[in-house]
Amino acid sequence: MGTDTVEAVVFVACALIVLGGAFGVIWFRNPVQSALSLVATLFGVAVLFLNMNAQFLAAVQVIVYTGAIVVLILFVIMLLGVDTADDIDAEPLVGQRVIALVIAAGVAGLVIAGVTIVGGDLVSGARAATAAITDDVPNIEQIGRVLFTDYVYALEITAVLLTIAVVAAVVMARKPTEVEPLPQESSSMEPPEPVEPEAEEVFD
Amino acid sequence: MRGIDAGYLVLSAILFSIGAFGLLVRRNPLVMLMCVELMLNAVNLTFVAFGMMLGDIAGQVIVMFVLVVAAAEVVVGLGIVVAVSRRKPGATADDIRVLRG
């Protein structure tokens, strides 16, 4: 088999995994199942990155997305105790799903139509002159060189953004001094009964 | 252009649409965050595919920044979800209107 054949086979397999996982995210009623479907999608995208010779991004995708972000989401799911199934059948806005389906199908249809109509001349820009992908330099070294020269200011701003996000998370997750409950009629979903805190067991 | 290049773009378009549909339909804020991740991954796929077609490493560098923004977005989003759920257990996306000043 030639390399093109292998690439095509890997692409088809990963595309099926990616799309199946994406459908699972919006299909499952239990948020935990949605998060696990998201893991499948992210792994498929990582393998697609490998397929496109972006080895470093494939590793980062697995480490950051499935290792950090999805675990963080799962952690919050467990923390909040929302391991119950969602009420999917409730539709607060009439026709919301139909409109959403039209919008989503429109976006996909327009892009696919554009790709199909343009056909053989998909990219019309100039090929890279200063930051070209070469096979004799490792992928990480190429990314690092461009990241710390051409994009160094963007990198610094990214550091500021991460600092702001960490401070914001600490401020919002802090336990407030007094909690005023929300009015009950603001949502159709009935909140569960407050659980009385159990007395701590004393071990003599 | 090879046929598989168009395949990457079509796949990412479908992935983006699924994420957008889920974001518009689902009411659980955690699932909505996951749908945003789906959309960001579709955009990442497009960046890397175009970078491969043009032989430009910048497509992969931009994905690094998208990853950082996605991580920051998830951290802030989960913080909001935790803060709202503390005041009202079982909160849906409609309850985040308490953020209004």
Side-chain angles (χ1 to χ4, degrees):
Chain A
M1 284 197 299
T3 52
D4 280 350
T5 313
V6 175
E7 193 178 354
V9 169
V10 171
F11 171 75
V12 171
C14 288
L16 290 178
I17 292 175
V18 165
L19 292 182
F23 271 115
V25 169
I26 62 172
W27 183 260
F28 284 125
R29 289 164 180 257
N30 194 328
V32 178
Q33 288 172 320
S34 292
L36 294 181
S37 296
L38 185 63
V39 170
T41 297
L42 299 176
F43 261 107
V45 172
V47 178
L48 285 177
F49 282 167
L50 276 182
N51 214 14
M52 289 187 278
N53 281 324
Q55 291 90 5
F56 179 62
L57 282 185
V60 169
Q61 172 91 3
V62 172
I63 293 170
V64 173
Y65 263 116
T66 61
I69 291 181
V70 175
V71 170
L72 197 62
I73 291 176
L74 277 173
F75 196 80
V76 170
I77 291 174
M78 304 297 179
L79 181 72
L80 297 181
V82 285
D83 52 351
T84 55
D86 289 346
D87 186 13
I88 279 188
D89 300 327
E91 193 176 10
L93 293 177
V94 178
Q96 182 186 13
R97 293 194 182 161
V98 176
I99 295 173
L101 193 62
V102 167
I103 290 175
V107 169
L110 281 178
V111 175
I112 292 172
V115 169
T116 313
I117 290 170
V118 170
D121 201 14
L122 205 53
V123 285
S124 56
R127 296 187 67 82
T130 57
I133 295 177
T134 54
D135 287 336
D136 48 343
V137 181
N139 183 242
I140 296 177
E141 187 176 334
Q142 292 182 54
I143 292 179
R145 251 177 224 292
V146 177
L147 196 59
F148 286 98
T149 53
D150 293 345
Y151 293 91
V152 67
Y153 292 117
L155 190 72
E156 301 290 338
I157 294 171
T158 299
V160 176
L161 176 70
L162 278 179
T163 311
I164 293 172
V166 168
V167 172
V170 170
V171 168
M172 278 186 298
R174 202 182 40 182
K175 204 165 182 61
T177 50
E178 77 273 14
V179 174
E180 51 176 296
L182 294 182
Q184 297 299 321
E185 65 274 10
S186 64
S187 171
S188 60
M189 183 181 288
E190 284 297 319
E193 289 294 317
V195 180
E196 290 295 323
E198 299 178 2
E200 292 188 5
E201 297 182 14
V202 180
F203 297 98
D204 291 326
Chain B
M1 185 204 75
R2 302 169 306 155
I4 196 170
D5 290 346
Y8 287 120
L9 297 182
V10 169
L11 173 65
S12 58
I14 297 173
L15 189 59
F16 188 90
S17 302
I18 293 174
F21 178 73
L23 187 70
L24 290 172
V25 165
R26 294 299 297 262
R27 297 174 69 215
N28 188 333
L30 292 166
V31 179
M32 291 172 74
L33 277 176
M34 293 183 215
C35 290
V36 173
E37 298 302 316
L38 285 184
M39 295 165 76
L40 286 170
N41 265 278
V43 174
N44 283 351
L45 208 56
T46 314
F47 269 128
V48 177
F50 274 125
M52 178 185 65
M53 289 180 220
L54 286 172
D56 199 333
I57 198 72
Q60 300 182 24
V61 174
I62 297 294
V63 173
M64 294 289 298
F65 294 120
V66 176
L67 275 170
V68 174
V69 172
E73 166 249 327
V74 163
V75 166
V76 175
L78 288 180
I80 293 174
V81 170
V82 169
V84 172
S85 296
R86 185 177 286 135
R87 300 175 59 153
K88 184 177 190 303
T92 64
D94 298 330
D95 297 317
I96 301 185
R97 69 179 130 185
V98 296
L99 288 176
R100 183 179 56 199

